[in-house]
């Protein structure tokens, strides 16, 4: 059906078409090679079903049927991921010149190698769930953590995406982690390297940059940034270590920012809330912002009892 002529609509359409022509770098038309984001989100959800069988997707799985359950999902994921990986590899200069058949063959191989590492992902996630339970007195049981903790979802998406990142698959890892970011408020770049028993408590507003290295048994709270000191160099900084290294058994409380590629937070360090750290911290040190003095006014009445407790010096070392 032809659209009735509307001069105002024609004017608006012409404006937009002109913009398309002037900024062709941000338009995709006449292209069958663009990745399907909805399909990739579906793949991520199916992978979650494989990583945590019985918690999501089909319920009532028994050990006698889990082989068929896993096999069916693996078949679906292998097919769909191979198709999307073939599209993604066209953004990798190393594979860009391959013909369609060779590209699909390479994508199928990468997808198989990725899925072969799912037991490794489950090993890490079992340790992450354990760390969450051990570190959070509010946690009732492991089921609650797996089913409802946003940190576990974000870590799961990261650990899956990191393997694809290691396999040099463009775009797909970032789509996965940004989907998790959208759901949880936790932004973990797939290029970051994160050890076992990683615990994110609450999580909203956490940012972990691409070249961050995090050791084992690390705990971080909401609002923490592990970032770069400056991005003014733009693309010239690609491949440069821009984000901090966090060694084992470190705790970072809410709102803290740790910045810079040469910044190393030593083993056993505790970083207090709202600290702004741009230099390395030696092991087994406590870092905090010096407590501000609070004033209490009570309309001529006596000050609240024990008001002085709010002015205690809790940390051993002040940055």
């Amino acid at each position: 059906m032809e659209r009735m002529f509307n001069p105002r609509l024609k004017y608006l359409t012409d404006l937009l078409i002109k913009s398309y022509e002037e900024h062709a770098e941000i338009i995709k038309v006449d292209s069958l090679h663009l990745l399907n984001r909805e399909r990739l989100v579906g793949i991520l959800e199916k992978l979650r079903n494989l990583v945590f069988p019985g918690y999501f997707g089909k319920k009532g799985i028994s050990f006698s049927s889990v082989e068929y359950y896993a096999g069916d999902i693996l078949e679906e994921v292998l097919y769909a991921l191979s198709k999307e990986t073939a599209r993604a590899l066209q953004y990798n200069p190393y594979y860009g010149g391959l013909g369609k058949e060779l590209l699909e063959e390479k994508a199928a191989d990468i997808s198989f190698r990725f899925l072969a590492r799912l037991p490794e992902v489950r090993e890490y996630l079992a340790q992450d769930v354990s760390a969450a339970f051990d570190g959070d007195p509010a946690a009732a049981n492991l089921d609650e953590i797996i089913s409802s903790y946003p940190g576990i979802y974000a870590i799961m998406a990261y650990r899956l995406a990191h393997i694809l990142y290691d396999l040099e698959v463009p775009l797909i890892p970032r789509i996965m982690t940004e989907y998790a970011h959208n759901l949880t408020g936790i932004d973990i770049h797939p290029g970051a390297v994160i050890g076992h028993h990683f615990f994110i408590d609450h999580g909203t507003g956490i940012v972990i940059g691409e070249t961050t290295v995090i050791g084992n048994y690390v705990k971080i709270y909401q609002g923490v940034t592990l970032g770069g000191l400056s991005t003014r160099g733009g693309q010239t900084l690609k491949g440069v270590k821009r984000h901090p290294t966090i060694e084992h058994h470190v705790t970072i409380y809410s709102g803290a920012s740790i910045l810079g590629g040469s910044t190393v937070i030593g083993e056993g360090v505790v970083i207090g809330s709202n600290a702004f750290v741009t230099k390395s911290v030696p092991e087994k040190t406590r870092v905090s912002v010096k407590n501000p003095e609070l004033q209490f006014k009570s309309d001529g009445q006596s000050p609240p009892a024990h008001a002085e407790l709010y002015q205690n010096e809790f940390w051993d070392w002040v940055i």
Side-chain angles (χ1 to χ4, degrees), residues 9 11 18 49 62 92 100 115 120-121 135 145 167 175 181 184 196 206 219 223 225 235 253 270 272 294 299 310:
L9 182 61
Y11 173 76
K18 183 180 179 183
N49 295 345
S62 65
N92 184 327
K100 182 174 181 293
L115 292 172
E120 172 191 330
V121 172
I145 291 166
L167 292 169
I175 290 173
H181 179 197
T184 66
H196 59 74
I206 285 174
K219 179 193 297 187
T225 297
Q235 289 295 314
Y253 283 103
V270 176
L294 303 183
D299 298 325
Y310 290 92

Side-chain angles (χ1 to χ4, degrees), residues 5 24 205 218 226 239 243 315 318:
F5 179 75
V218 170
L226 305 179
H243 306 97
W315 306 106
V318 176

Side-chain angles (χ1 to χ4, degrees), residues 135 199 201-202 204 206 218-226 250-258 269-277 285-288 314-315:
F199 176 35
D201 201 356
H202 305 296
T204 305
I206 285 174
V218 170
K219 179 193 297 187
I220 62 177
Y221 287 80
Q222 68 273 15
V224 167
T225 297
L226 305 179
V250 170
T251 299
I252 308 172
Y253 283 103
S254 59
S257 294
I258 304 173
V269 166
V270 176
I271 305 289
S273 294
N274 301 317
F276 188 83
V277 182
T285 303
R286 293 189 172 194
V287 180
S288 78
F314 180 77
W315 306 106

